[in-house]
Amino acid sequence: MRTKQELYQAALRTVALRRQTARANAEDARAEAEAAIPALRHAEDEVRVRGIRCALAGAAGKDRTEAAAALSKARQELTALLAASGRPADALEPKFTCKLCQDTGSVQGHTCTCVHKLMQGLRREEIEALSSLSISSFDTMKLNYYPNTLDKELGESIRSYMGFTLQDLRSYATNFSPSTRKNLLLIGNAGLGKTHAALAIAGQVLEQGFDVIYVSCPDFFGKLESLHFSGLTSEEEILANTASYADLLILDDLGTENDSNFFITSFYSLLNNRIGAKLPTIITTNIVNGALFEKLYTEKISSRLASFEQIKFFGTDIRVLKASE
C-alpha cells in the first residue's frame, strides 16, 4: 500500500516518460520527413527565423505586421511541403498523451488532471491485486440470490430489504464526500455480499477522484505488527498514517485478524485518528453478536464502533448458491 506521495511520484514518472517518448517519436518523424523531402529543413529554418524576428519586433514595440505576414507565409510553405508528401500539418510535432499539460504534469502551477487519473489507476491496481474489485459493482449484485421470503425480524421479504439496502449503499458511493459521509459497519454472515458491496463503493469513489484504501484486517494489522517488532517503526508509522488519513478506508473481515494487545492498540488508534479527522471508514464483519464485539475488542473500541451506522445483510450464502448452479 503506497502513500499518496508515492502514488504522486509514480504518476509523475509515467507522465515524464510519456513526454520523453512523444519528443523522441517526433524527432524520428522529423528525420524521416527530412530525408524524404529535401526542401523541408530549409522550410523549417524559415519558420524558425521568421518566428524569432516576429517576437523581437513585438518585444521592441515595433509594428509586427510585416514580420507576422512573413511568418504566416513561411508556415504555409512548410504545410504545403508536408501535404505534398501525404503528411498532416502537425506531422513534426510531438503527440503528447495529455493535450492539456502536454505531458508536463502541471497546468498554470497546478497538478494536471492526468496526474490525478494516473494516481487513481495506480490505487485501483493495488486494490485489484488484493480483491475482486474489477468484477465488483452494484450492477453485478443480483437480488435474485436473496430469498424472496418474509423475515420476522425485518417484517418484510429479505429480497425487498436487500434491494433498498443496496440502493442506499449505491447512493452513499454516488454522493460521496469525505466530510459528509458516515462510517458504515456492514454486518452479516459469510457470503451475503458485504465485501462485494464495499468494493462496489470503492470503485465508484475512486472514479470520483478520491483516494481509497482497501485492506483486509488480518493482512493490514499483521503487517503493522511485523514492522513494529522488526524495529521498522518509521515504516509502521507511514503505513498507519496512510490508512488513517485516506479519503475512504475500507477494513474487510474484522474478526479474522490475530487477536493480540498490539492489534487492539493499533485498531483503537486507527479508529481514533479517523474519527478525529472526520474521515469515513467502512468495516465489514461476520460478527453479528454485539456482546461478542465488546468481549473481543474492549469497551472503548466497541463504543466507537457503536457510532458507526450498522447495516445488516440477510440471506443465505451466495457463494454456495452460485456453486450449485
Side-chain angles (χ1 to χ4, degrees), residues 53-81:
R53 290 179 179 176
C54 188
L56 289 174
K62 297 180 180 179
D63 186 355
R64 297 175 53 196
T65 303
E66 185 176 342
L71 174 59
S72 177
K73 181 181 178 182
R75 285 174 173 166
Q76 290 173 6
E77 290 174 353
L78 174 60
T79 299
L81 276 175

Side-chain angles (χ1 to χ4, degrees), residues 10 28 44 78 127 140 144 148 155 193 209 252 262 282:
D28 290 344
E44 287 183 284
L78 174 60
I127 298 176
T140 57
N144 61 326
N148 193 24
D252 196 26
F262 178 86
I282 297 175

Side-chain angles (χ1 to χ4, degrees), residues 64-124:
R64 297 175 53 196
T65 303
E66 185 176 342
L71 174 59
S72 177
K73 181 181 178 182
R75 285 174 173 166
Q76 290 173 6
E77 290 174 353
L78 174 60
T79 299
L81 276 175
L82 291 170
S85 68
R87 291 174 171 81
D90 64 349
L92 308 181
E93 299 299 321
K95 305 300 186 295
F96 297 115
T97 301
C98 179
K99 307 301 180 186
L100 189 61
C101 72
Q102 295 191 327
D103 294 343
T104 63
S106 178
V107 179
Q108 296 180 348
H110 298 283
T111 301
C112 184
T113 54
C114 71
V115 176
H116 292 298
K117 288 180 180 178
L118 282 168
M119 292 173 65
Q120 293 163 27
L122 291 170
R123 186 66 85 195
R124 177 177 285 275

Side-chain angles (χ1 to χ4, degrees), residues 14 77 89 108 116 130 154 173 178 212 231:
T14 298
E77 290 174 353
Q108 296 180 348
H116 292 298
L130 299 170
L154 295 172
V212 179

Side-chain angles (χ1 to χ4, degrees), residues 10-60:
L12 285 185
R13 287 194 293 272
T14 298
V15 170
L17 179 59
R18 286 177 176 177
R19 183 172 177 82
Q20 182 181 1
T21 301
R23 293 175 71 88
N25 289 340
E27 288 301 316
D28 290 344
R30 174 174 279 101
E32 181 185 358
E34 288 177 350
I37 310 170
L40 183 61
R41 180 169 293 181
H42 174 74
E44 287 183 284
D45 288 340
E46 278 294 299
V47 170
R48 192 175 299 110
V49 170
R50 299 300 178 184
I52 292 173
R53 290 179 179 176
C54 188
L56 289 174

Side-chain angles (χ1 to χ4, degrees), residues 300-319:
K300 286 186 177 181
I301 289 177
S302 296
S303 67
R304 278 151 181 77
L305 292 177
S307 69
F308 283 45
E309 180 178 337
Q310 294 191 13
I311 298 177
K312 291 187 178 181
F313 281 58
F314 290 82
T316 54
D317 194 327
I318 293 173
R319 287 171 290 197

